């Protein structure tokens, strides 16, 4: 089925952007910027949607770039979740 891929991570002054990629390593959606001037928990943020099969699936995340104001290039992920996406009508 189609799943929303979500992460709960720390935003901060040394954070980068995360980008979800499909099984062919092609970008899915736009990179999500985790930069913030002060450290704060993001809460769940959707990185994109993927079609996944029952069983084990490999999820690819990259850090394609960082916000120009960021002092670093990292994202501290607290929790990662795949949630069945509602069917669009």
């Amino acid at each position: 089925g189609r799943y929303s891929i979500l992460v709960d991570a720390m935003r901060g002054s040394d954070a980068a952007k995360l980008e979800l990629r499909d099984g062919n390593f092609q970008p899915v959606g736009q990179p999500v910027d985790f930069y913030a001037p002060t450290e704060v928990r993001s809460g769940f943020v959707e990185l994109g949607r993927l079609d996944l099969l029952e069983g084990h699936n490999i999820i690819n995340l990259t850090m394609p770039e960082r916000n120009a104001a960021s002092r670093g290039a990292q994202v501290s992920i607290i929790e990662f979740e795949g949630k069945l996406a509602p069917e669009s009508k």
Side-chain angles (χ1 to χ4, degrees):
R2 189 126 182 107
Y3 285 81
S4 294
I5 306 303
L6 307 140
V7 296
D8 180 10
M10 294 304 295
R11 295 185 185 273
S13 60
D14 59 353
K17 296 179 182 182
L18 272 184
E19 184 172 54
L20 179 65
R21 296 193 174 242
D22 66 16
N24 295 316
F25 217 67
Q26 295 303 305
V28 176
Q30 297 296 315
V32 176
D33 191 356
F34 285 89
Y35 170 80
T38 58
E39 193 168 74
V40 61
R41 191 169 176 168
S42 70
F44 278 105
V45 176
E46 183 176 303
L47 297 179
R49 295 182 178 193
L50 292 175
D51 291 315
L52 302 176
L53 301 173
E54 185 175 345
H56 291 94
N57 290 272
I58 295 174
I59 306 294
N60 297 299
L61 299 177
T62 61
M63 290 187 291
E65 58 189 2
R66 63 186 177 123
N67 184 302
S70 179
R71 297 185 318 229
Q74 68 178 22
V75 178
S76 298
I77 296 173
I78 298 165
E79 197 170 348
F80 183 87
E81 186 175 273
K83 201 177 250 189
L84 195 56
E87 292 185 31
S88 56
K89 297 186 180 200

